[in-house]
Amino acid sequence: ALTPGRSGNQFNFVTSARRQPGSTFKTIALTAAVARGMDPFTTSYLSAPFHYQPDSTCNPNDPNCAWNVQTYEHTYSGVESVLSATLQSDNTVYAQLTLDVGPQSVAAMAHSLGVESPLEPVPSIGLGSNAVSPLDMASAYATLAAGGIRRDPVAIRRVVFPGGRVEEPERPDPRRVVSEAVA
């Protein structure tokens, strides 16, 4: 359901406010990985502070050159399954997973699931570093909840005119974007 914001405010926070979704985006990275055949029960990564530096000639202390990932509580589990890392919301595992799946694949999956905001396919995309709207995230999660069938959001379901005549706007057809097993 979509409701208006504060009285007198014309800015629609649901459709227009864009914020980093953080760990809620891990579900999209997981979906991209599962769609490529990864089994979260048997695939494991090392849960430990993670350093990513694709260019070995740059300064590792330069934040534009290197990426250092930690968990929120600075606790680590060693080798753990993706399932366990999902339950723990382990940033270090999801950083590695995103790099293995490919940031471009995570962005493509997000768009398939219903995210309309532009996404930069950066290594941190799987950790929710790109700004998206609440409607984007609701659309993506609704697609997964519907077993992989995407239905674009509709703001007006019907209009009832004086006299009782009813018109319903044309609705886009639902379409399967991932298999039910992946969803």
Side-chain angles (χ1 to χ4, degrees):
L2 176 74
T3 61
R6 290 180 230 131
S7 178
N9 188 341
Q10 296 299 311
F11 186 77
N12 187 324
F13 287 93
V14 174
T15 61
S16 300
R18 287 182 169 59
R19 303 283 186 271
Q20 291 180 332
S23 292
T24 62
F25 215 82
K26 288 176 184 169
T27 301
I28 295 171
L30 177 62
T31 303
V34 171
R36 296 179 104 199
M38 188 273 301
D39 182 343
F41 294 91
T42 60
T43 303
S44 297
Y45 287 92
L46 179 61
S47 170
F50 179 68
H51 177 79
Y52 177 68
Q53 184 178 341
D55 181 357
S56 61
T57 63
C58 66
N59 178 352
N61 296 320
D62 179 354
N64 295 318
C65 172
W67 183 38
N68 293 300
V69 183
Q70 302 172 1
T71 61
Y72 179 75
E73 294 182 355
H74 305 286
T75 57
Y76 304 95
S77 304
V79 176
E80 70 176 337
S81 69
V82 172
L83 174 66
S84 177
T86 302
L87 296 172
Q88 300 298 322
S89 193
D90 191 311
N91 292 337
T92 65
V93 168
Y94 267 84
Q96 296 168 76
L97 175 73
T98 299
L99 290 170
D100 284 350
V101 171
Q104 188 66 42
S105 293
V106 175
M109 179 58 72
H111 288 305
S112 292
L113 294 174
V115 173
E116 297 290 334
S117 295
L119 299 171
E120 289 292 323
V122 295
S124 59
I125 189 172
L127 302 182
S129 63
N130 279 259
V132 296
S133 73
L135 184 59
D136 283 336
M137 293 306 291
S139 295
Y141 272 78
T143 299
L144 294 172
I149 297 174
R150 178 176 168 185
R151 291 177 177 84
D152 291 334
V154 176
I156 299 173
R157 296 182 50 99
R158 69 181 180 177
V159 177
V160 179
F161 291 92
R165 182 173 61 94
V166 176
E167 284 189 23
E168 294 183 12
E170 197 172 309
R171 297 185 69 180
D173 290 331
R175 59 200 178 279
R176 178 163 297 284
V177 295
V178 294
S179 71
E180 188 171 5
V182 169

